[in-house]
Amino acid sequence: MKSFKILLSGILALNFAVILTAQKKFSKKQIEKFKTEVAQIVEANKKQTQVMVDKIFSFSELGFQEYESSKYLTGILEKEGFAIEHSISGIPTAWFAKWSNGDGPVIALGSDVDCIPKASQYPGVAYHKPIVEGAPGHGEGHNSGIPLNITSALAVKQIMERENIGGTLVVWPGIAEELVAAKAWYVRDGLFDNIDMCIFTHVSSNLSVSWGPTRGTGLLSVEYLFEGEAAHSAVAPWRGRSALDAAELMNIGWNYKREHLHPLKRSHSIFTDAGDQPNVVPSKAAIWFYFRDIEYKGIMEMYAEANDIAKGAALMTGTTTTSRVLGTAWPRHYNKVIAETMYENIEKVGLPKWSNEDQILAKAVQKEVNSKKTEGLDVELSEIGLPAKEPISGGSDDIGDISWKVPTVTMRFPSNIPGLQGHHWSNAITMATPIAHKGVTAGAKAEAMTILDFLMKPELLTQAWDYFNNEQSKETKYEPMISADDMPPTYLNKDKQGQFRGALEKFYYDENKYDTYLEQLGISYPTLEED
């Protein structure tokens, strides 16, 4: 078996070398000329970019419920000649869009599309003003990434067709990223088996990229379900076996465990089922945990310990327990070669020129949320992100699974305000304003220029895979945290989205009537005080 794998690896490497050799040769001068041109095309298409950003913002769809967003985005790509594969990995809102111009590198462009519960917010307004009270909203800014990728892909496609540059572009969405519940399934199901590299994009307050192990954690998302016996709580409670007691005991047991967790670990939970009403002993209950660590091994150790605590809680209450994996995210590791190539383009593009209105809004929002940052939007470009000397705990992103499958980077682009808390209504304020529009355009330029680098300089891709195979994967090997039988939890958020979809539909952006979403909502930009 080992010799077969070595042979297969050699065959793939040979085929890849043949493809690279067959690629059309371009001079440095030609490449720079095309990169300048592709940035100009992106700039010329900024109106379409703005419409896409505003449109997805207005849909305000939670994870696994991104139906309108996916329909709209795939419709644009289909008109541009991309072949769409719908419902990938058994996820109704997930898709892959591919366009090929013959042999050459296969470059995937991904970003997320889901939003945050209870983050509904009027854009351009520097205080809390929900569009629909209690509804979801783009308090993570995920309405901007796929529009960026589409903008850059269409600009690159134009040059590829004219200059007969071989290669394939793949645009894909990170469905339900806030639940880290899709990308590991994409990897498991082989969707990245024939991808040569991946550029992921995510909203930020600066234009940046990093390489190596990144700040933050991987995680495993698990729901524990307990089942007991119902009974009348007043008449015959002794005949009941409370599933809620079991869930509470597991919660107590894990809380005692927290004292002994290493500081780099993180864990948090919510009850998803706590019974029906007080006069019925709960026959069913459930508690949902996130287990985070900077290493895969640490995550799986926490999982094993939690399983033991769940069994103990069931034994104490005479109930039974089962569990189901709802999401996973490997710790991220980004490619040095792609990052360094991209950063050279980031330096050429630079940050957008913010208007006085942009800065007034940013400073007002920082003041509103008591941010330690008070100077408004960034005006100096970030340095390239280098591997941390010491690991730092923090958030997770399931792009980590893809980063262990193919050479990957995340490009962060400046469409939000520094110093906000994240996952909050304040993070939605800029996301359908000139700040987001300018930041997405800047990011699309840097991404498009980087794509051309890898299409026209085959040696870069060889170097990227050398780093991936001989440095990144030298000691760490990817092991999926999901099995072949684990299904993505596509039922999540259905009721939450259904509760608000009708009210939100009244606010969907109509680009045929209004120039911008701000205009449709009647917002004077910026609005700083309540009327």
Side-chain angles (χ1 to χ4, degrees), residues 172-215:
W172 60 275
I175 294 300
E177 187 277 335
E178 300 302 342
L179 302 170
V180 290
K183 299 185 187 79
W185 277 266
Y186 295 170
V187 173
R188 183 197 69 180
D189 296 340
L191 292 165
F192 282 83
D193 286 357
N194 298 312
I195 301 292
D196 293 317
M197 60 176 280
C198 176
I199 297 174
F200 194 70
T201 60
H202 197 282
V203 62
S204 185
S205 56
N206 209 301
L207 188 55
S208 61
V209 69
S210 64
W211 65 270
T214 185
R215 173 178 180 165

mmCIF file of all heavy atoms in Angstrom, residues 172-215:
data_model
loop_
_atom_site.group_PDB
_atom_site.id
_atom_site.type_symbol
_atom_site.label_atom_id
_atom_site.label_comp_id
_atom_site.label_asym_id
_atom_site.label_seq_id
_atom_site.Cartn_x
_atom_site.Cartn_y
_atom_site.Cartn_z
ATOM 1 N N TRP A 172 -16.378 29.440 -4.316
ATOM 2 C CA TRP A 172 -17.179 28.603 -3.411
ATOM 3 C C TRP A 172 -17.490 29.368 -2.128
ATOM 4 O O TRP A 172 -16.727 30.221 -1.695
ATOM 5 C CB TRP A 172 -16.445 27.297 -3.096
ATOM 6 C CG TRP A 172 -15.122 27.493 -2.425
ATOM 7 C CD1 TRP A 172 -13.920 27.731 -3.027
ATOM 8 C CD2 TRP A 172 -14.862 27.523 -1.016
ATOM 9 N NE1 TRP A 172 -12.931 27.891 -2.087
ATOM 10 C CE2 TRP A 172 -13.469 27.760 -0.850
ATOM 11 C CE3 TRP A 172 -15.663 27.357 0.119
ATOM 12 C CZ2 TRP A 172 -12.880 27.846 0.405
ATOM 13 C CZ3 TRP A 172 -15.074 27.442 1.378
ATOM 14 C CH2 TRP A 172 -13.689 27.673 1.505
ATOM 15 N N PRO A 173 -18.615 29.053 -1.483
ATOM 16 C CA PRO A 173 -19.000 29.737 -0.247
ATOM 17 C C PRO A 173 -18.705 28.915 0.996
ATOM 18 O O PRO A 173 -18.882 27.695 1.019
ATOM 19 C CB PRO A 173 -20.508 29.895 -0.413
ATOM 20 C CG PRO A 173 -20.900 28.630 -1.127
ATOM 21 C CD PRO A 173 -19.738 28.252 -2.018
ATOM 22 N N GLY A 174 -18.269 29.585 2.053
ATOM 23 C CA GLY A 174 -18.176 28.953 3.360
ATOM 24 C C GLY A 174 -19.539 29.025 4.027
ATOM 25 O O GLY A 174 -19.870 30.011 4.686
ATOM 26 N N ILE A 175 -20.321 27.999 3.820
ATOM 27 C CA ILE A 175 -21.668 27.969 4.394
ATOM 28 C C ILE A 175 -21.577 27.746 5.907
ATOM 29 O O ILE A 175 -20.753 26.976 6.394
ATOM 30 C CB ILE A 175 -22.498 26.843 3.730
ATOM 31 C CG1 ILE A 175 -22.740 27.162 2.248
ATOM 32 C CG2 ILE A 175 -23.815 26.599 4.465
ATOM 33 C CD1 ILE A 175 -23.494 28.440 1.979
ATOM 34 N N ALA A 176 -22.436 28.433 6.650
ATOM 35 C CA ALA A 176 -22.564 28.232 8.101
ATOM 36 C C ALA A 176 -21.217 28.306 8.817
ATOM 37 O O ALA A 176 -20.948 27.515 9.716
ATOM 38 C CB ALA A 176 -23.255 26.890 8.389
ATOM 39 N N GLU A 177 -20.390 29.283 8.449
ATOM 40 C CA GLU A 177 -19.088 29.407 9.110
ATOM 41 C C GLU A 177 -19.253 29.689 10.594
ATOM 42 O O GLU A 177 -18.428 29.238 11.409
ATOM 43 C CB GLU A 177 -18.254 30.515 8.461
ATOM 44 C CG GLU A 177 -16.815 30.590 8.980
ATOM 45 C CD GLU A 177 -16.657 31.370 10.280
ATOM 46 O OE1 GLU A 177 -17.505 32.246 10.566
ATOM 47 O OE2 GLU A 177 -15.685 31.096 11.022
ATOM 48 N N GLU A 178 -20.289 30.427 10.968
ATOM 49 C CA GLU A 178 -20.489 30.726 12.379
ATOM 50 C C GLU A 178 -20.786 29.469 13.191
ATOM 51 O O GLU A 178 -20.706 29.481 14.419
ATOM 52 C CB GLU A 178 -21.623 31.745 12.554
ATOM 53 C CG GLU A 178 -21.382 33.079 11.874
ATOM 54 C CD GLU A 178 -20.107 33.790 12.334
ATOM 55 O OE1 GLU A 178 -19.579 33.429 13.403
ATOM 56 O OE2 GLU A 178 -19.645 34.689 11.630
ATOM 57 N N LEU A 179 -21.104 28.380 12.504
ATOM 58 C CA LEU A 179 -21.295 27.085 13.150
ATOM 59 C C LEU A 179 -20.135 26.138 12.840
ATOM 60 O O LEU A 179 -20.174 24.973 13.246
ATOM 61 C CB LEU A 179 -22.604 26.447 12.672
ATOM 62 C CG LEU A 179 -23.877 27.261 12.909
ATOM 63 C CD1 LEU A 179 -25.047 26.630 12.163
ATOM 64 C CD2 LEU A 179 -24.192 27.367 14.397
ATOM 65 N N VAL A 180 -19.120 26.636 12.131
ATOM 66 C CA VAL A 180 -17.996 25.829 11.621
ATOM 67 C C VAL A 180 -18.488 24.462 11.142
ATOM 68 O O VAL A 180 -17.970 23.425 11.522
ATOM 69 C CB VAL A 180 -16.853 25.696 12.657
ATOM 70 C CG1 VAL A 180 -16.144 27.007 12.834
ATOM 71 C CG2 VAL A 180 -17.345 25.176 14.004
ATOM 72 N N ALA A 181 -19.441 24.484 10.234
ATOM 73 C CA ALA A 181 -20.182 23.250 9.936
ATOM 74 C C ALA A 181 -20.271 22.916 8.459
ATOM 75 O O ALA A 181 -21.235 22.290 8.028
ATOM 76 C CB ALA A 181 -21.586 23.349 10.529
ATOM 77 N N ALA A 182 -19.278 23.312 7.639
ATOM 78 C CA ALA A 182 -19.351 22.943 6.226
ATOM 79 C C ALA A 182 -17.999 22.549 5.635
ATOM 80 O O ALA A 182 -17.900 21.564 4.911
ATOM 81 C CB ALA A 182 -19.958 24.084 5.407
ATOM 82 N N LYS A 183 -16.944 23.312 5.915
ATOM 83 C CA LYS A 183 -15.698 23.123 5.178
ATOM 84 C C LYS A 183 -15.061 21.758 5.422
ATOM 85 O O LYS A 183 -14.464 21.177 4.518
ATOM 86 C CB LYS A 183 -14.721 24.255 5.500
ATOM 87 C CG LYS A 183 -15.235 25.649 5.124
ATOM 88 C CD LYS A 183 -14.178 26.705 5.360
ATOM 89 C CE LYS A 183 -14.728 28.112 5.145
ATOM 90 N NZ LYS A 183 -15.514 28.612 6.275
ATOM 91 N N ALA A 184 -15.163 21.232 6.644
ATOM 92 C CA ALA A 184 -14.626 19.893 6.896
ATOM 93 C C ALA A 184 -15.358 18.855 6.065
ATOM 94 O O ALA A 184 -14.760 17.863 5.620
ATOM 95 C CB ALA A 184 -14.727 19.546 8.382
ATOM 96 N N TRP A 185 -16.637 19.066 5.824
ATOM 97 C CA TRP A 185 -17.408 18.154 4.969
ATOM 98 C C TRP A 185 -16.957 18.285 3.512
ATOM 99 O O TRP A 185 -16.875 17.282 2.798
ATOM 100 C CB TRP A 185 -18.898 18.445 5.112
ATOM 101 C CG TRP A 185 -19.501 17.787 6.311
ATOM 102 C CD1 TRP A 185 -20.125 16.575 6.346
ATOM 103 C CD2 TRP A 185 -19.547 18.289 7.653
ATOM 104 N NE1 TRP A 185 -20.550 16.284 7.618
ATOM 105 C CE2 TRP A 185 -20.212 17.321 8.450
ATOM 106 C CE3 TRP A 185 -19.094 19.445 8.272
ATOM 107 C CZ2 TRP A 185 -20.433 17.478 9.813
ATOM 108 C CZ3 TRP A 185 -19.310 19.612 9.630
ATOM 109 C CH2 TRP A 185 -19.961 18.643 10.390
ATOM 110 N N TYR A 186 -16.648 19.498 3.060
ATOM 111 C CA TYR A 186 -16.117 19.675 1.707
ATOM 112 C C TYR A 186 -14.838 18.854 1.527
ATOM 113 O O TYR A 186 -14.655 18.177 0.506
ATOM 114 C CB TYR A 186 -15.768 21.144 1.443
ATOM 115 C CG TYR A 186 -16.892 22.146 1.436
ATOM 116 C CD1 TYR A 186 -16.608 23.520 1.409
ATOM 117 C CD2 TYR A 186 -18.228 21.770 1.461
ATOM 118 C CE1 TYR A 186 -17.611 24.473 1.406
ATOM 119 C CE2 TYR A 186 -19.236 22.716 1.467
ATOM 120 C CZ TYR A 186 -18.922 24.077 1.437
ATOM 121 O OH TYR A 186 -19.909 25.019 1.435
ATOM 122 N N VAL A 187 -13.956 18.945 2.525
ATOM 123 C CA VAL A 187 -12.683 18.217 2.449
ATOM 124 C C VAL A 187 -12.937 16.716 2.470
ATOM 125 O O VAL A 187 -12.372 15.957 1.670
ATOM 126 C CB VAL A 187 -11.744 18.636 3.597
ATOM 127 C CG1 VAL A 187 -10.501 17.755 3.624
ATOM 128 C CG2 VAL A 187 -11.344 20.104 3.450
ATOM 129 N N ARG A 188 -13.786 16.278 3.408
ATOM 130 C CA ARG A 188 -14.085 14.846 3.513
ATOM 131 C C ARG A 188 -14.637 14.281 2.211
ATOM 132 O O ARG A 188 -14.295 13.155 1.807
ATOM 133 C CB ARG A 188 -15.110 14.619 4.636
ATOM 134 C CG ARG A 188 -15.447 13.152 4.874
ATOM 135 C CD ARG A 188 -16.721 12.977 5.679
ATOM 136 N NE ARG A 188 -17.906 13.374 4.932
ATOM 137 C CZ ARG A 188 -19.158 13.319 5.415
ATOM 138 N NH1 ARG A 188 -19.360 12.913 6.662
ATOM 139 N NH2 ARG A 188 -20.181 13.696 4.677
ATOM 140 N N ASP A 189 -15.459 15.072 1.527
ATOM 141 C CA ASP A 189 -16.134 14.591 0.326
ATOM 142 C C ASP A 189 -15.325 14.787 -0.950
ATOM 143 O O ASP A 189 -15.839 14.605 -2.055
ATOM 144 C CB ASP A 189 -17.502 15.266 0.200
ATOM 145 C CG ASP A 189 -18.430 14.895 1.349
ATOM 146 O OD1 ASP A 189 -18.184 13.858 2.004
ATOM 147 O OD2 ASP A 189 -19.397 15.645 1.603
ATOM 148 N N GLY A 190 -14.063 15.189 -0.811
ATOM 149 C CA GLY A 190 -13.155 15.231 -1.955
ATOM 150 C C GLY A 190 -13.267 16.449 -2.841
ATOM 151 O O GLY A 190 -12.699 16.475 -3.934
ATOM 152 N N LEU A 191 -13.932 17.505 -2.373
ATOM 153 C CA LEU A 191 -14.132 18.672 -3.229
ATOM 154 C C LEU A 191 -12.848 19.450 -3.473
ATOM 155 O O LEU A 191 -12.762 20.232 -4.423
ATOM 156 C CB LEU A 191 -15.191 19.583 -2.614
ATOM 157 C CG LEU A 191 -16.604 18.972 -2.606
ATOM 158 C CD1 LEU A 191 -17.513 19.733 -1.676
ATOM 159 C CD2 LEU A 191 -17.185 18.929 -4.007
ATOM 160 N N PHE A 192 -11.837 19.238 -2.635
ATOM 161 C CA PHE A 192 -10.557 19.917 -2.824
ATOM 162 C C PHE A 192 -9.456 18.969 -3.298
ATOM 163 O O PHE A 192 -8.288 19.348 -3.323
ATOM 164 C CB PHE A 192 -10.140 20.625 -1.523
ATOM 165 C CG PHE A 192 -10.883 21.915 -1.307
ATOM 166 C CD1 PHE A 192 -12.147 21.918 -0.748
ATOM 167 C CD2 PHE A 192 -10.337 23.128 -1.701
ATOM 168 C CE1 PHE A 192 -12.854 23.097 -0.574
ATOM 169 C CE2 PHE A 192 -11.017 24.315 -1.535
ATOM 170 C CZ PHE A 192 -12.281 24.301 -0.968
ATOM 171 N N ASP A 193 -9.843 17.769 -3.714
ATOM 172 C CA ASP A 193 -8.846 16.799 -4.172
ATOM 173 C C ASP A 193 -8.105 17.271 -5.417
ATOM 174 O O ASP A 193 -6.933 16.933 -5.611
ATOM 175 C CB ASP A 193 -9.506 15.447 -4.458
ATOM 176 C CG ASP A 193 -9.867 14.708 -3.172
ATOM 177 O OD1 ASP A 193 -9.548 15.214 -2.078
ATOM 178 O OD2 ASP A 193 -10.492 13.632 -3.268
ATOM 179 N N ASN A 194 -8.779 18.020 -6.277
ATOM 180 C CA ASN A 194 -8.169 18.464 -7.534
ATOM 181 C C ASN A 194 -7.917 19.972 -7.570
ATOM 182 O O ASN A 194 -7.818 20.564 -8.648
ATOM 183 C CB ASN A 194 -9.053 18.045 -8.714
ATOM 184 C CG ASN A 194 -9.192 16.535 -8.809
ATOM 185 O OD1 ASN A 194 -8.201 15.813 -8.751
ATOM 186 N ND2 ASN A 194 -10.424 16.050 -8.937
ATOM 187 N N ILE A 195 -7.835 20.573 -6.394
ATOM 188 C CA ILE A 195 -7.542 22.002 -6.276
ATOM 189 C C ILE A 195 -6.045 22.179 -6.035
ATOM 190 O O ILE A 195 -5.442 21.464 -5.240
ATOM 191 C CB ILE A 195 -8.341 22.637 -5.130
ATOM 192 C CG1 ILE A 195 -9.849 22.464 -5.342
ATOM 193 C CG2 ILE A 195 -7.972 24.102 -4.948
ATOM 194 C CD1 ILE A 195 -10.431 23.223 -6.500
ATOM 195 N N ASP A 196 -5.428 23.149 -6.705
ATOM 196 C CA ASP A 196 -3.987 23.383 -6.550
ATOM 197 C C ASP A 196 -3.651 24.393 -5.458
ATOM 198 O O ASP A 196 -2.596 24.313 -4.838
ATOM 199 C CB ASP A 196 -3.384 23.863 -7.880
ATOM 200 C CG ASP A 196 -3.414 22.776 -8.941
ATOM 201 O OD1 ASP A 196 -3.091 21.619 -8.602
ATOM 202 O OD2 ASP A 196 -3.776 23.077 -10.094
ATOM 203 N N MET A 197 -4.527 25.342 -5.221
ATOM 204 C CA MET A 197 -4.304 26.327 -4.165
ATOM 205 C C MET A 197 -5.623 27.028 -3.859
ATOM 206 O O MET A 197 -6.558 27.009 -4.666
ATOM 207 C CB MET A 197 -3.259 27.378 -4.564
ATOM 208 C CG MET A 197 -3.615 28.183 -5.797
ATOM 209 S SD MET A 197 -2.417 29.499 -6.185
ATOM 210 C CE MET A 197 -2.908 30.779 -5.025
ATOM 211 N N CYS A 198 -5.689 27.620 -2.671
ATOM 212 C CA CYS A 198 -6.924 28.291 -2.260
ATOM 213 C C CYS A 198 -6.601 29.663 -1.686
ATOM 214 O O CYS A 198 -5.708 29.803 -0.835
ATOM 215 C CB CYS A 198 -7.671 27.450 -1.219
ATOM 216 S SG CYS A 198 -9.157 28.236 -0.568
ATOM 217 N N ILE A 199 -7.321 30.661 -2.146
ATOM 218 C CA ILE A 199 -7.293 31.995 -1.539
ATOM 219 C C ILE A 199 -8.637 32.211 -0.861
ATOM 220 O O ILE A 199 -9.685 32.166 -1.509
ATOM 221 C CB ILE A 199 -7.040 33.102 -2.577
ATOM 222 C CG1 ILE A 199 -5.666 32.924 -3.233
ATOM 223 C CG2 ILE A 199 -7.144 34.481 -1.925
ATOM 224 C CD1 ILE A 199 -5.398 33.898 -4.361
ATOM 225 N N PHE A 200 -8.587 32.417 0.434
ATOM 226 C CA PHE A 200 -9.791 32.692 1.205
ATOM 227 C C PHE A 200 -9.782 34.179 1.563
ATOM 228 O O PHE A 200 -8.707 34.778 1.716
ATOM 229 C CB PHE A 200 -9.793 31.845 2.480
ATOM 230 C CG PHE A 200 -11.122 31.795 3.179
ATOM 231 C CD1 PHE A 200 -12.187 31.104 2.624
ATOM 232 C CD2 PHE A 200 -11.311 32.425 4.400
ATOM 233 C CE1 PHE A 200 -13.418 31.046 3.264
ATOM 234 C CE2 PHE A 200 -12.526 32.378 5.047
ATOM 235 C CZ PHE A 200 -13.584 31.688 4.479
ATOM 236 N N THR A 201 -10.935 34.778 1.681
ATOM 237 C CA THR A 201 -11.009 36.200 2.016
ATOM 238 C C THR A 201 -11.921 36.408 3.215
ATOM 239 O O THR A 201 -12.917 35.700 3.385
ATOM 240 C CB THR A 201 -11.522 37.038 0.831
ATOM 241 O OG1 THR A 201 -12.835 36.591 0.457
ATOM 242 C CG2 THR A 201 -10.594 36.913 -0.361
ATOM 243 N N HIS A 202 -11.558 37.379 4.055
ATOM 244 C CA HIS A 202 -12.370 37.665 5.237
ATOM 245 C C HIS A 202 -12.273 39.148 5.568
ATOM 246 O O HIS A 202 -11.203 39.750 5.510
ATOM 247 C CB HIS A 202 -11.907 36.843 6.432
ATOM 248 C CG HIS A 202 -12.924 36.788 7.531
ATOM 249 N ND1 HIS A 202 -13.137 37.832 8.411
ATOM 250 C CD2 HIS A 202 -13.794 35.807 7.881
ATOM 251 C CE1 HIS A 202 -14.094 37.498 9.250
ATOM 252 N NE2 HIS A 202 -14.514 36.279 8.960
ATOM 253 N N VAL A 203 -13.390 39.702 5.938
ATOM 254 C CA VAL A 203 -13.463 41.118 6.273
ATOM 255 C C VAL A 203 -12.587 41.429 7.482
ATOM 256 O O VAL A 203 -12.439 40.631 8.402
ATOM 257 C CB VAL A 203 -14.926 41.527 6.532
ATOM 258 C CG1 VAL A 203 -15.503 40.773 7.714
ATOM 259 C CG2 VAL A 203 -15.053 43.026 6.744
ATOM 260 N N SER A 204 -12.009 42.629 7.477
ATOM 261 C CA SER A 204 -11.174 43.099 8.574
ATOM 262 C C SER A 204 -11.169 44.626 8.528
ATOM 263 O O SER A 204 -12.012 45.237 7.870
ATOM 264 C CB SER A 204 -9.761 42.517 8.441
ATOM 265 O OG SER A 204 -8.960 42.861 9.552
ATOM 266 N N SER A 205 -10.192 45.223 9.213
ATOM 267 C CA SER A 205 -10.068 46.682 9.194
ATOM 268 C C SER A 205 -8.790 47.127 8.498
ATOM 269 O O SER A 205 -8.474 48.311 8.491
ATOM 270 C CB SER A 205 -10.100 47.237 10.623
ATOM 271 O OG SER A 205 -9.082 46.634 11.405
ATOM 272 N N ASN A 206 -8.043 46.169 7.913
ATOM 273 C CA ASN A 206 -6.833 46.494 7.175
ATOM 274 C C ASN A 206 -6.700 45.492 6.034
ATOM 275 O O ASN A 206 -7.460 44.510 5.957
ATOM 276 C CB ASN A 206 -5.606 46.457 8.088
ATOM 277 C CG ASN A 206 -4.509 47.402 7.624
ATOM 278 O OD1 ASN A 206 -3.999 47.298 6.509
ATOM 279 N ND2 ASN A 206 -4.135 48.345 8.488
ATOM 280 N N LEU A 207 -5.769 45.739 5.137
ATOM 281 C CA LEU A 207 -5.505 44.839 4.013
ATOM 282 C C LEU A 207 -4.264 44.040 4.375
ATOM 283 O O LEU A 207 -3.163 44.609 4.468
ATOM 284 C CB LEU A 207 -5.287 45.651 2.736
ATOM 285 C CG LEU A 207 -5.188 44.895 1.411
ATOM 286 C CD1 LEU A 207 -6.398 44.007 1.168
ATOM 287 C CD2 LEU A 207 -5.026 45.883 0.251
ATOM 288 N N SER A 208 -4.433 42.743 4.621
ATOM 289 C CA SER A 208 -3.331 41.993 5.200
ATOM 290 C C SER A 208 -3.386 40.517 4.842
ATOM 291 O O SER A 208 -4.430 40.007 4.395
ATOM 292 C CB SER A 208 -3.341 42.137 6.733
ATOM 293 O OG SER A 208 -4.552 41.630 7.266
ATOM 294 N N VAL A 209 -2.273 39.842 5.068
ATOM 295 C CA VAL A 209 -2.167 38.397 4.872
ATOM 296 C C VAL A 209 -1.058 37.904 5.793
ATOM 297 O O VAL A 209 -0.165 38.663 6.173
ATOM 298 C CB VAL A 209 -1.870 38.059 3.388
ATOM 299 C CG1 VAL A 209 -0.464 38.502 2.988
ATOM 300 C CG2 VAL A 209 -2.084 36.582 3.096
ATOM 301 N N SER A 210 -1.118 36.634 6.167
ATOM 302 C CA SER A 210 -0.107 36.077 7.064
ATOM 303 C C SER A 210 0.261 34.680 6.599
ATOM 304 O O SER A 210 -0.415 34.090 5.756
ATOM 305 C CB SER A 210 -0.632 36.032 8.507
ATOM 306 O OG SER A 210 -1.732 35.151 8.611
ATOM 307 N N TRP A 211 1.345 34.143 7.166
ATOM 308 C CA TRP A 211 1.717 32.767 6.847
ATOM 309 C C TRP A 211 2.144 32.051 8.121
ATOM 310 O O TRP A 211 2.448 32.675 9.132
ATOM 311 C CB TRP A 211 2.814 32.711 5.785
ATOM 312 C CG TRP A 211 4.159 33.275 6.173
ATOM 313 C CD1 TRP A 211 4.578 34.555 6.024
ATOM 314 C CD2 TRP A 211 5.259 32.555 6.747
ATOM 315 N NE1 TRP A 211 5.859 34.709 6.474
ATOM 316 C CE2 TRP A 211 6.319 33.487 6.921
ATOM 317 C CE3 TRP A 211 5.471 31.234 7.136
ATOM 318 C CZ2 TRP A 211 7.554 33.124 7.463
ATOM 319 C CZ3 TRP A 211 6.703 30.864 7.670
ATOM 320 C CH2 TRP A 211 7.722 31.799 7.832
ATOM 321 N N GLY A 212 2.134 30.715 8.034
ATOM 322 C CA GLY A 212 2.493 29.893 9.175
ATOM 323 C C GLY A 212 1.306 29.618 10.074
ATOM 324 O O GLY A 212 0.163 29.950 9.748
ATOM 325 N N PRO A 213 1.560 28.981 11.239
ATOM 326 C CA PRO A 213 0.469 28.767 12.203
ATOM 327 C C PRO A 213 -0.096 30.105 12.634
ATOM 328 O O PRO A 213 0.650 31.031 12.946
ATOM 329 C CB PRO A 213 1.167 28.050 13.370
ATOM 330 C CG PRO A 213 2.448 27.534 12.806
ATOM 331 C CD PRO A 213 2.849 28.484 11.722
ATOM 332 N N THR A 214 -1.397 30.219 12.651
ATOM 333 C CA THR A 214 -2.012 31.512 12.937
ATOM 334 C C THR A 214 -2.515 31.576 14.370
ATOM 335 O O THR A 214 -2.725 30.553 15.024
ATOM 336 C CB THR A 214 -3.173 31.778 11.966
ATOM 337 O OG1 THR A 214 -3.688 33.094 12.178
ATOM 338 C CG2 THR A 214 -4.311 30.790 12.172
ATOM 339 N N ARG A 215 -2.719 32.764 14.849
ATOM 340 C CA ARG A 215 -3.330 32.976 16.160
ATOM 341 C C ARG A 215 -4.717 32.352 16.184
ATOM 342 O O ARG A 215 -5.467 32.447 15.218
ATOM 343 C CB ARG A 215 -3.429 34.471 16.440
ATOM 344 C CG ARG A 215 -4.197 34.820 17.697
ATOM 345 C CD ARG A 215 -4.206 36.310 17.932
ATOM 346 N NE ARG A 215 -4.950 36.648 19.136
ATOM 347 C CZ ARG A 215 -4.890 37.826 19.743
ATOM 348 N NH1 ARG A 215 -4.133 38.778 19.254
ATOM 349 N NH2 ARG A 215 -5.582 38.054 20.844
#
